[in-house]
Amino acid sequence: MTFEKGANLSDIDGEEEEPGEVIESAPPLKVGEERELGNSGIKKELLKNGVGWDTPEFGDEVTIHYVGTLLDGTKFDSTRDRYDPLTFKLGTGQVATGLDNGIITMKKRECAVFTFTLPSELRFGVEGRDSLPPNSVVQFEVELVSWITVVDLSKDGGIVKKILEKGERDASPGDLDEVLVKYQVMLGDGTMVAKTPEGVEFYLKDGHFCPVLSKAILTMKKGEKVKLVIQPQYAFGEERRDACDGFGTIPPNSALDFNLELPSFKHVVDVTGDSKVVKKILKEGEGTSADEGATVTISYIARLEDGTVFEKKGYDGEQPLEFITDEEQVIAGLDRVAATMKKGEWAIVTINHEYGFGNVEAKQDLATVPSCAKLYYEVEMMDFIKEKVPWEMNNQEKIEAAGRKKEEGNLLFKNGKYERAGKKYNKAADCVNEDGSFVDDEQKLVKSLRVSCWLNSAACCLKLKDYQGIRL
């Protein structure tokens, strides 16, 4: 069975292991050692270790030096004699059918000797090659100079990506992110039709230049450089793209060659899930996020759509703002964002009026916010102290926290704030759960607290018509 890079094991169908089956993995070859490569009929002797751990795959473009000899040392082919390494697509058997199975085991700059032991039809054919006798056993001394990873993004050859320079591991943009890209675009005859020497920023969801560019960028990592070959059906098809920015027209049915680089991107987070509170991270923070119930300290500048500043905290002599998240001490949008931020994080936040000041006019420190106004906050998370979780408390602290949260829930319930009340009741119940830590004289109290919190939480779910949320 073969697996594609990046595939989830749960997504791959295949035969299950038999009970007790042992899967063996051969240790890496040492210099001077020889081993047969599975059932390929090829023996590999390692002459020089390569660098790194990556190896090429079928479909990649590899560049190799090789010297082909018979067992008696007779040389029949050599790129070194021509001072010209060979570049070809791995899997085509361009040098010798079967040799590709050896090359996929090699690391960059590795040198090895491959000896063919299969019948000659799996090498050059029974008729031989040039002066090579039929049914000869041959050896290839191969150096893997380099390779370019080739990915068929559309699975039909319509969008092919060749990775010229790898980017940072685990640093790929998401659908909502804002990316900075640099590119130049050429037609098949080499005519340049677009170029961005300084780069261009755009949101991936909005698209740019041609329809599939965003799709290709989603597969890239920060710092990655690639060559994209886009066939007409994925570019502009039968339509013509008019000249712009000093470059010529792109004729109908034109294939495009992109030299594309992704220098950086900014993560964009849909905080509320309805695109009404959106956070664009300008500087990543450290550690974990604040979460609900944390005491946070933030600085910010708050603006209207026209740029009018209506509030500042932590700037121009103003003290930073300290508040407890999920306690309605600030507008809902800012509250929700603060709970997602890490220490040191810096972000631009867009808040629709539903999570801002609503449909009323609100007088703030520096200006009045009109009704139904969209708000823009530049926020930095200075510090936060997380709310204690039950396992950090002793028994007395758990009982006191449960009682306090229950009373807070009661007040919220009376004010018709059933969702927040339900959260309080659930947190209270979690403080006095059945973990076996309470002694006999505490059991009666904690059981009463736990049951009353469960019942109150169920009442909140009934009010919200959230019948699945009822804890049984």
Side-chain angles (χ1 to χ4, degrees), residues 230-437:
I230 303 176
Q231 298 304 319
Q233 68 270 27
Y234 289 103
F236 298 102
E238 297 180 356
E239 297 180 5
R240 185 184 76 168
R241 186 178 189 269
D242 293 333
C244 63
D245 299 327
F247 292 98
T249 298
I250 298 177
N253 298 310
S254 294
L256 302 177
D257 289 343
F258 269 82
N259 287 322
L260 177 65
E261 179 185 357
L262 177 62
S264 65
F265 60 86
K266 299 181 180 75
H267 278 307
V268 177
V269 182
D270 182 356
V271 176
T272 51
D274 56 7
S275 300
K276 293 183 177 179
V277 179
V278 176
K279 176 180 73 169
K280 180 169 71 175
I281 301 174
L282 304 181
K283 178 189 170 188
E284 297 282 351
E286 298 179 353
T288 60
S289 56
D291 294 329
E292 295 176 354
T295 300
V296 302
T297 303
I298 62 172
S299 61
Y300 64 81
I301 299 175
R303 295 181 174 87
L304 301 175
E305 271 191 287
D306 63 3
T308 300
V309 176
F310 63 86
E311 192 174 34
K312 287 183 182 180
K313 296 294 180 183
Y315 292 91
D316 300 334
E318 288 283 339
Q319 290 296 310
L321 178 67
E322 182 179 298
F323 66 95
I324 301 173
T325 59
D326 200 35
E327 292 291 343
E328 296 187 338
Q329 296 177 1
V330 295
I331 60 171
L334 186 58
D335 193 333
R336 298 279 289 271
V337 165
T340 71
M341 295 184 74
K342 301 175 181 178
K343 288 182 182 179
E345 184 177 324
W346 180 29
I348 297 291
V349 180
T350 305
I351 302 175
N352 278 26
H353 74 277
E354 294 93 333
Y355 294 90
F357 296 101
N359 55 6
V360 298
E361 191 175 85
K363 184 172 177 57
Q364 297 300 295
D365 294 345
L366 303 177
T368 297
V369 177
S371 63
C372 300
K374 181 179 283 191
L375 312 175
Y376 299 85
Y377 282 76
E378 186 175 325
V379 186
E380 182 179 4
M381 175 61 71
M382 311 291 288
D383 197 9
F384 62 78
I385 301 172
K386 285 198 173 193
E387 183 181 34
K388 262 190 174 183
V389 291
W391 61 266
E392 296 175 316
M393 306 177 189
N394 59 38
N395 286 357
Q396 185 59 36
E397 288 174 327
K398 290 178 182 178
I399 293 169
E400 290 175 358
R404 184 172 62 253
K405 290 181 184 301
K406 178 187 172 185
E407 290 305 316
E408 291 171 353
N410 291 344
L411 182 60
L412 291 166
F413 189 92
K414 289 176 182 177
N415 291 328
K417 298 176 180 179
Y418 305 119
E419 184 175 351
R420 290 193 58 233
K423 288 182 181 179
K424 291 289 185 181
Y425 292 135
N426 288 335
K427 284 186 175 182
D430 289 341
C431 287
V432 288
N433 62 17
E434 298 175 279
D435 62 1
S437 64

Side-chain angles (χ1 to χ4, degrees), residues 126-195:
V126 294
E127 299 302 322
R129 166 174 163 175
D130 299 328
S131 60
L132 202 65
N135 301 305
S136 299
V137 176
V138 296
Q139 291 182 322
F140 282 91
E141 180 183 305
V142 179
E143 179 187 2
L144 179 56
V145 179
S146 64
W147 78 88
I148 295 173
T149 301
V150 179
V151 185
D152 184 352
L153 299 181
S154 59
K155 308 301 182 185
D156 62 0
I159 312 169
V160 175
K161 180 178 80 168
K162 299 180 180 181
I163 302 177
L164 307 178
E165 187 174 315
K166 292 186 177 181
E168 298 178 11
R169 191 180 296 272
D170 301 325
S172 296
D175 293 334
L176 301 177
D177 291 352
E178 182 184 63
V179 297
L180 170 66
V181 297
K182 296 180 180 180
Y183 61 78
Q184 61 179 27
V185 187
M186 291 169 287
L187 302 179
D189 62 4
T191 302
M192 189 176 297
V193 291
K195 187 176 182 180

Side-chain angles (χ1 to χ4, degrees), residues 37 42 58 64 66 88 90 93-106 113-116 122-123 139-142:
L37 301 178
I42 301 175
F58 289 119
I64 65 170
Y66 69 86
F88 64 99
L90 203 55
Q94 186 165 337
V95 179
T97 303
L99 181 60
D100 294 2
N101 292 316
I103 295 174
I104 63 172
T105 71
M106 301 181 72
V113 171
F114 297 98
T115 303
F116 284 53
L122 295 180
R123 298 193 300 276
Q139 291 182 322
F140 282 91
E141 180 183 305
V142 179

